[in-house]
Amino acid sequence: MGFFFTYPHCQVCDWREPEDLAALLDLELRENGESQHQLLKRVQDVAKYSVKTNHPRFFNQLFAGVDYHALAGRFLTEALNTSQYTYEVAPVFVLMEEEVLSKLRSLVGWTHGDGIFCPGGTVSNMYAMNLARFRAFPEVKVKGQWALPRLAVFASQEVCHYSVMKAAAFQGIGTENVFKVNVDDRGCMNPEDLCEKIELAKSQGAVPFFVHATSGTTVKGAFDPLESIADICERLGLWMHVDAAWGGSVLLSNEHRHLMKGVERADSVTWNPHKMMLTGLQCSAILLKDTTDLLKHCHCADATYLFQQDKFYDKSLDTGDKSIQCGRKVDCLKLWLMWKAVGSKGLEGRVDRAFAHVRYLVEEMKRREGFQLIWEVAPTIKERMMKQGTMMVGYQPHGGRVNFFRMIVISPQVSHEDMTFFLDEIERLGKDL
Amino acid sequence: MGFFFTYPHCQVCDWREPEDLAALLDLELRENGESQHQLLKRVQDVAKYSVKTNHPRFFNQLFAGVDYHALAGRFLTEALNTSQYTYEVAPVFVLMEEEVLSKLRSLVGWTHGDGIFCPGGTVSNMYAMNLARFRAFPEVKVKGQWALPRLAVFASQEVCHYSVMKAAAFQGIGTENVFKVNVDDRGCMNPEDLCEKIELAKSQGAVPFFVHATSGTTVKGAFDPLESIADICERLGLWMHVDAAWGGSVLLSNEHRHLMKGVERADSVTWNPHKMMLTGLQCSAILLKDTTDLLKHCHCADATYLFQQDKFYDKSLDTGDKSIQCGRKVDCLKLWLMWKAVGSKGLEGRVDRAFAHVRYLVEEMKRREGFQLIWEVAPTIKERMMKQGTMMVGYQPHGGRVNFFRMIVISPQVSHEDMTFFLDEIERLGKDL
């Protein structure tokens, strides 16, 4: 796997137009197999034309970089190829998942609770919404939503673009029943407007049941004010969910965990170690304060071929019925092994370093003229960047404003030099625009 | 990874009681990292105490065995660590996924269509149910299920234990709105009873919209009569889904594909190559006959930070908005590489061999006395089997009958000798009972 180690000679991407790439890869699946020599060439091509997301100058997504201990854990997970549903077939991973979840919960501030690893943050958020609905109206599982009043969900307008909407649509709640709460200049939810939107929903005959707060929004990285939101949820008996898929890792840092002050008052937290903690895709936990086995009651289907009641060991170890899936990939080993390797202190150092990079970048940008202007020509700069393959950064519009670049800095392989490179490169790519 | 190659000296499992295993593994996550030497020991322990699902005598689950080309694809997938949502960040895999899906669709009998890889068969089945609801009542996405009449789902009583029920609960439809259709002696859905259950649902004021047929039930391996079910669905305008998570691979075999005759008349098919095709967990496709972009219309949330409309390439290549997830693991490479390595003919041979093993096993069992009797003591035999680690086979009750062993035979590493071993070993483990 030499492509890991060829930086800085290696490009971030080797851009090809789709039709050219399809021809290069010869994707067609045929009647007969190929020689080992030919297969080796195919594996090399796949690597060559794939984006090097572990390259220090990949700033494009909320995942980036590589931790080699986590990668070893992922290889071992693949080699062992088991499903995370019974102690019988996954003895090590049933115990390990519980240990890892317990550690994440302790960072949230809970000594007890529940949880499970899910395929990605959106599914984790869906779990939270489904559990909240079930706690408020347990009859929904058997009778369906026709037995319930119209429900109302609340989330900040910053995050009402994706996972909350997907969850509301998929679970039959409907996107128009997600009420968009105003945010302040930094993109943080306005608790007063939350109260107003709750009243608005009630005045329309809907029943509020779920507040989706966010720690680390996708675009601005904003942290909603959890204490104020918790006050409101407690007063009104609403389920408080914190989507900390991106931001959760600040809980590892003594310096930055104040950003999530009040998180321990939530009912559920989504935390994706595959983002800032670099475990690799996918590793997303839904953490619960609940100690009444709500997760199992809500999702169980009692398949007799997996969860035999006459088993010769403690069947509470068969965690599969907590999941909406049947077969479930093992996602705990990569995180556990990395944690064993670098310790909580090592993880803390990474979070602190990422914040330091951002501070440096902001200072540097203030010193340079023209950056405000350059952002208006983002699509052209992006095209040049991809075709030259020197780095990758995402861009997007925001609110009424034009496109801007969204710079993600989490990889431990990133240096100040890479920050400077980013700024120089944006200037170079856009200098004639 | 020497534990792959130590068969037959290697046990299938090295059973430990949960508390003993927890102590052996020293799972606790601490402040400081550990030495490389210590970490190596941990990796070895994880492998030692995990179940060897690639062992030829692991007959316990619908996944088993290993294909080394697929495993190479899985390692490469982990190393490249990208998310399957845009051409920009996953150029190779966006094109490859479409090629693999197209190949699977062609085996179903479709020249056009749509599809996506999902985290497991239950989620694939959920997609089908959600798409069916959206096609019948597009307003559900925005308004939620309150705008809809009570809906009715139909599935055979053989499969009403798990994924259909989980889907109905999660999507707000409710488990009591899943009508259980009777089956014949072999476990196949009775089409006449399907008609009767549809009438029953209507008489209760529910609106039928979704028939969940199964090709390869989990317990009996039954194949529902798809032609007859298709006749009914066409006549009544119902969405016909075929859950072929387990059985789909018969489509690779000229000898056995008749079991799914009529599948091309379905609206959607779930097919898990991680089962009979041995790609490794997880690899589950939902395949669609639809050519109207239903998948995207049903699931899109138009996140501006991923799916910029002013991109410099064809944005129809950004498949992420077809998914209910945001980040999505790459599941196509392992299947593609294995297919390139052994060809369609090689895959066909594996399916045919699995069927031949089953025939041999049935014949052998008929020759041996006492097997009917032995099945009644399954839990005790299972306990002895696990503690000795010689093989792993699942057991369960079925209908009114007592526990029986469910033998899964798919690994290409399995020989007739292993079949004989299974029978001898059951006799040995149960001889005093």
Side-chain angles (χ1 to χ4, degrees), chain A residues 57-79:
Chain A
R57 289 175 185 168
F58 177 81
F59 308 115
N60 206 68
Q61 246 76 30
L62 296 180
F63 61 91
V66 60
D67 176 282
Y68 292 104
H69 296 102
L71 185 59
R74 286 146 65 197
F75 286 171
L76 185 55
T77 301
E78 295 298 325

mmCIF file of all heavy atoms in Angstrom, chain A residues 57-79:
data_model
loop_
_atom_site.group_PDB
_atom_site.id
_atom_site.type_symbol
_atom_site.label_atom_id
_atom_site.label_comp_id
_atom_site.label_asym_id
_atom_site.label_seq_id
_atom_site.Cartn_x
_atom_site.Cartn_y
_atom_site.Cartn_z
ATOM 1 N N ARG A 57 -3.343 17.281 2.753
ATOM 2 C CA ARG A 57 -4.001 18.412 2.098
ATOM 3 C C ARG A 57 -5.392 18.063 1.576
ATOM 4 O O ARG A 57 -5.918 18.711 0.675
ATOM 5 C CB ARG A 57 -3.091 18.975 1.000
ATOM 6 C CG ARG A 57 -1.915 19.683 1.681
ATOM 7 C CD ARG A 57 -0.846 20.202 0.773
ATOM 8 N NE ARG A 57 0.247 20.727 1.600
ATOM 9 C CZ ARG A 57 1.449 21.054 1.115
ATOM 10 N NH1 ARG A 57 1.710 20.934 -0.187
ATOM 11 N NH2 ARG A 57 2.373 21.516 1.934
ATOM 12 N N PHE A 58 -5.977 17.027 2.151
ATOM 13 C CA PHE A 58 -7.398 16.740 1.923
ATOM 14 C C PHE A 58 -8.170 17.425 3.046
ATOM 15 O O PHE A 58 -8.162 16.973 4.192
ATOM 16 C CB PHE A 58 -7.650 15.230 1.927
ATOM 17 C CG PHE A 58 -9.102 14.860 1.776
ATOM 18 C CD1 PHE A 58 -9.710 14.843 0.520
ATOM 19 C CD2 PHE A 58 -9.877 14.539 2.879
ATOM 20 C CE1 PHE A 58 -11.054 14.505 0.373
ATOM 21 C CE2 PHE A 58 -11.218 14.205 2.747
ATOM 22 C CZ PHE A 58 -11.803 14.193 1.489
ATOM 23 N N PHE A 59 -8.793 18.573 2.700
ATOM 24 C CA PHE A 59 -9.537 19.359 3.705
ATOM 25 C C PHE A 59 -11.021 19.385 3.333
ATOM 26 O O PHE A 59 -11.740 20.315 3.662
ATOM 27 C CB PHE A 59 -9.038 20.803 3.744
ATOM 28 C CG PHE A 59 -7.560 20.967 3.914
ATOM 29 C CD1 PHE A 59 -6.781 21.533 2.904
ATOM 30 C CD2 PHE A 59 -6.930 20.582 5.090
ATOM 31 C CE1 PHE A 59 -5.419 21.723 3.065
ATOM 32 C CE2 PHE A 59 -5.553 20.772 5.256
ATOM 33 C CZ PHE A 59 -4.794 21.340 4.235
ATOM 34 N N ASN A 60 -11.471 18.399 2.599
ATOM 35 C CA ASN A 60 -12.737 18.474 1.871
ATOM 36 C C ASN A 60 -13.937 17.977 2.662
ATOM 37 O O ASN A 60 -15.062 18.333 2.369
ATOM 38 C CB ASN A 60 -12.601 17.628 0.595
ATOM 39 C CG ASN A 60 -13.504 18.072 -0.520
ATOM 40 O OD1 ASN A 60 -13.320 19.152 -1.066
ATOM 41 N ND2 ASN A 60 -14.498 17.258 -0.859
ATOM 42 N N GLN A 61 -13.710 17.113 3.629
ATOM 43 C CA GLN A 61 -14.823 16.454 4.303
ATOM 44 C C GLN A 61 -14.570 16.431 5.802
ATOM 45 O O GLN A 61 -13.457 16.697 6.246
ATOM 46 C CB GLN A 61 -14.936 15.005 3.791
ATOM 47 C CG GLN A 61 -16.207 14.683 3.008
ATOM 48 C CD GLN A 61 -16.222 15.207 1.593
ATOM 49 O OE1 GLN A 61 -15.188 15.329 0.961
ATOM 50 N NE2 GLN A 61 -17.397 15.540 1.086
ATOM 51 N N LEU A 62 -15.607 16.045 6.548
ATOM 52 C CA LEU A 62 -15.471 15.972 7.995
ATOM 53 C C LEU A 62 -14.691 14.732 8.438
ATOM 54 O O LEU A 62 -14.478 14.510 9.607
ATOM 55 C CB LEU A 62 -16.842 16.009 8.666
ATOM 56 C CG LEU A 62 -17.632 17.310 8.465
ATOM 57 C CD1 LEU A 62 -18.980 17.222 9.171
ATOM 58 C CD2 LEU A 62 -16.872 18.520 8.981
ATOM 59 N N PHE A 63 -14.310 13.895 7.479
ATOM 60 C CA PHE A 63 -13.331 12.852 7.783
ATOM 61 C C PHE A 63 -12.090 13.191 6.963
ATOM 62 O O PHE A 63 -12.182 13.776 5.898
ATOM 63 C CB PHE A 63 -13.859 11.453 7.434
ATOM 64 C CG PHE A 63 -14.194 11.275 5.979
ATOM 65 C CD1 PHE A 63 -13.257 10.814 5.068
ATOM 66 C CD2 PHE A 63 -15.453 11.596 5.505
ATOM 67 C CE1 PHE A 63 -13.562 10.658 3.722
ATOM 68 C CE2 PHE A 63 -15.774 11.454 4.155
ATOM 69 C CZ PHE A 63 -14.827 10.991 3.259
ATOM 70 N N ALA A 64 -10.938 12.841 7.458
ATOM 71 C CA ALA A 64 -9.671 13.124 6.772
ATOM 72 C C ALA A 64 -8.568 12.514 7.608
ATOM 73 O O ALA A 64 -8.737 12.282 8.802
ATOM 74 C CB ALA A 64 -9.439 14.633 6.641
ATOM 75 N N GLY A 65 -7.446 12.261 6.965
ATOM 76 C CA GLY A 65 -6.308 11.746 7.724
ATOM 77 C C GLY A 65 -6.462 10.272 8.012
ATOM 78 O O GLY A 65 -7.454 9.634 7.655
ATOM 79 N N VAL A 66 -5.454 9.723 8.660
ATOM 80 C CA VAL A 66 -5.491 8.300 8.980
ATOM 81 C C VAL A 66 -4.782 8.076 10.309
ATOM 82 O O VAL A 66 -3.786 8.736 10.612
ATOM 83 C CB VAL A 66 -4.838 7.463 7.849
ATOM 84 C CG1 VAL A 66 -3.380 7.861 7.636
ATOM 85 C CG2 VAL A 66 -4.937 5.970 8.115
ATOM 86 N N ASP A 67 -5.336 7.180 11.094
ATOM 87 C CA ASP A 67 -4.641 6.705 12.286
ATOM 88 C C ASP A 67 -4.311 5.244 12.007
ATOM 89 O O ASP A 67 -5.204 4.435 11.749
ATOM 90 C CB ASP A 67 -5.537 6.829 13.519
ATOM 91 C CG ASP A 67 -4.858 6.249 14.748
ATOM 92 O OD1 ASP A 67 -4.834 5.002 14.888
ATOM 93 O OD2 ASP A 67 -4.329 7.029 15.541
ATOM 94 N N TYR A 68 -3.023 4.896 12.072
ATOM 95 C CA TYR A 68 -2.624 3.557 11.633
ATOM 96 C C TYR A 68 -3.054 2.455 12.597
ATOM 97 O O TYR A 68 -3.242 1.314 12.183
ATOM 98 C CB TYR A 68 -1.115 3.517 11.346
ATOM 99 C CG TYR A 68 -0.787 4.348 10.135
ATOM 100 C CD1 TYR A 68 -0.198 5.603 10.247
ATOM 101 C CD2 TYR A 68 -1.131 3.899 8.857
ATOM 102 C CE1 TYR A 68 0.058 6.380 9.120
ATOM 103 C CE2 TYR A 68 -0.880 4.668 7.728
ATOM 104 C CZ TYR A 68 -0.279 5.896 7.869
ATOM 105 O OH TYR A 68 -0.042 6.654 6.750
ATOM 106 N N HIS A 69 -3.242 2.800 13.857
ATOM 107 C CA HIS A 69 -3.764 1.786 14.774
ATOM 108 C C HIS A 69 -5.220 1.484 14.454
ATOM 109 O O HIS A 69 -5.641 0.323 14.437
ATOM 110 C CB HIS A 69 -3.617 2.248 16.222
ATOM 111 C CG HIS A 69 -2.195 2.412 16.628
ATOM 112 N ND1 HIS A 69 -1.597 3.650 16.705
ATOM 113 C CD2 HIS A 69 -1.241 1.503 16.947
ATOM 114 C CE1 HIS A 69 -0.334 3.488 17.071
ATOM 115 N NE2 HIS A 69 -0.091 2.196 17.218
ATOM 116 N N ALA A 70 -5.978 2.552 14.194
ATOM 117 C CA ALA A 70 -7.370 2.336 13.810
ATOM 118 C C ALA A 70 -7.434 1.523 12.523
ATOM 119 O O ALA A 70 -8.270 0.625 12.373
ATOM 120 C CB ALA A 70 -8.087 3.679 13.639
ATOM 121 N N LEU A 71 -6.532 1.824 11.594
ATOM 122 C CA LEU A 71 -6.536 1.095 10.321
ATOM 123 C C LEU A 71 -6.238 -0.393 10.548
ATOM 124 O O LEU A 71 -6.866 -1.270 9.944
ATOM 125 C CB LEU A 71 -5.517 1.714 9.357
ATOM 126 C CG LEU A 71 -5.499 1.130 7.940
ATOM 127 C CD1 LEU A 71 -6.855 1.277 7.247
ATOM 128 C CD2 LEU A 71 -4.412 1.795 7.098
ATOM 129 N N ALA A 72 -5.314 -0.681 11.459
ATOM 130 C CA ALA A 72 -5.049 -2.084 11.802
ATOM 131 C C ALA A 72 -6.303 -2.733 12.371
ATOM 132 O O ALA A 72 -6.644 -3.875 12.033
ATOM 133 C CB ALA A 72 -3.901 -2.162 12.818
ATOM 134 N N GLY A 73 -7.013 -1.997 13.194
ATOM 135 C CA GLY A 73 -8.271 -2.510 13.752
ATOM 136 C C GLY A 73 -9.303 -2.772 12.667
ATOM 137 O O GLY A 73 -10.075 -3.735 12.734
ATOM 138 N N ARG A 74 -9.291 -1.930 11.630
ATOM 139 C CA ARG A 74 -10.253 -2.127 10.534
ATOM 140 C C ARG A 74 -9.877 -3.353 9.710
ATOM 141 O O ARG A 74 -10.754 -4.125 9.309
ATOM 142 C CB ARG A 74 -10.307 -0.855 9.682
ATOM 143 C CG ARG A 74 -11.066 0.265 10.377
ATOM 144 C CD ARG A 74 -10.518 1.640 10.072
ATOM 145 N NE ARG A 74 -10.681 1.978 8.686
ATOM 146 C CZ ARG A 74 -10.027 2.955 8.064
ATOM 147 N NH1 ARG A 74 -9.154 3.693 8.737
ATOM 148 N NH2 ARG A 74 -10.245 3.227 6.810
ATOM 149 N N PHE A 75 -8.601 -3.525 9.451
ATOM 150 C CA PHE A 75 -8.177 -4.725 8.718
ATOM 151 C C PHE A 75 -8.565 -5.998 9.494
ATOM 152 O O PHE A 75 -9.061 -6.961 8.922
ATOM 153 C CB PHE A 75 -6.656 -4.709 8.486
ATOM 154 C CG PHE A 75 -6.188 -3.729 7.437
ATOM 155 C CD1 PHE A 75 -4.835 -3.481 7.263
ATOM 156 C CD2 PHE A 75 -7.079 -3.061 6.602
ATOM 157 C CE1 PHE A 75 -4.378 -2.599 6.284
ATOM 158 C CE2 PHE A 75 -6.629 -2.173 5.624
ATOM 159 C CZ PHE A 75 -5.279 -1.935 5.469
ATOM 160 N N LEU A 76 -8.322 -5.959 10.791
ATOM 161 C CA LEU A 76 -8.636 -7.135 11.605
ATOM 162 C C LEU A 76 -10.146 -7.382 11.643
ATOM 163 O O LEU A 76 -10.602 -8.527 11.580
ATOM 164 C CB LEU A 76 -8.078 -6.942 13.024
ATOM 165 C CG LEU A 76 -8.197 -8.122 13.985
ATOM 166 C CD1 LEU A 76 -7.587 -9.393 13.423
ATOM 167 C CD2 LEU A 76 -7.553 -7.786 15.333
ATOM 168 N N THR A 77 -10.915 -6.306 11.710
ATOM 169 C CA THR A 77 -12.371 -6.440 11.666
ATOM 170 C C THR A 77 -12.806 -7.140 10.383
ATOM 171 O O THR A 77 -13.652 -8.043 10.404
ATOM 172 C CB THR A 77 -13.041 -5.044 11.717
ATOM 173 O OG1 THR A 77 -12.643 -4.387 12.919
ATOM 174 C CG2 THR A 77 -14.551 -5.158 11.685
ATOM 175 N N GLU A 78 -12.210 -6.728 9.268
ATOM 176 C CA GLU A 78 -12.568 -7.335 7.984
ATOM 177 C C GLU A 78 -12.163 -8.805 7.949
ATOM 178 O O GLU A 78 -12.894 -9.656 7.445
ATOM 179 C CB GLU A 78 -11.894 -6.588 6.831
ATOM 180 C CG GLU A 78 -12.376 -5.146 6.651
ATOM 181 C CD GLU A 78 -13.862 -5.060 6.321
ATOM 182 O OE1 GLU A 78 -14.384 -5.935 5.617
ATOM 183 O OE2 GLU A 78 -14.507 -4.107 6.792
ATOM 184 N N ALA A 79 -10.969 -9.096 8.479
ATOM 185 C CA ALA A 79 -10.488 -10.476 8.453
ATOM 186 C C ALA A 79 -11.379 -11.384 9.300
ATOM 187 O O ALA A 79 -11.659 -12.519 8.923
ATOM 188 C CB ALA A 79 -9.051 -10.539 8.947
#
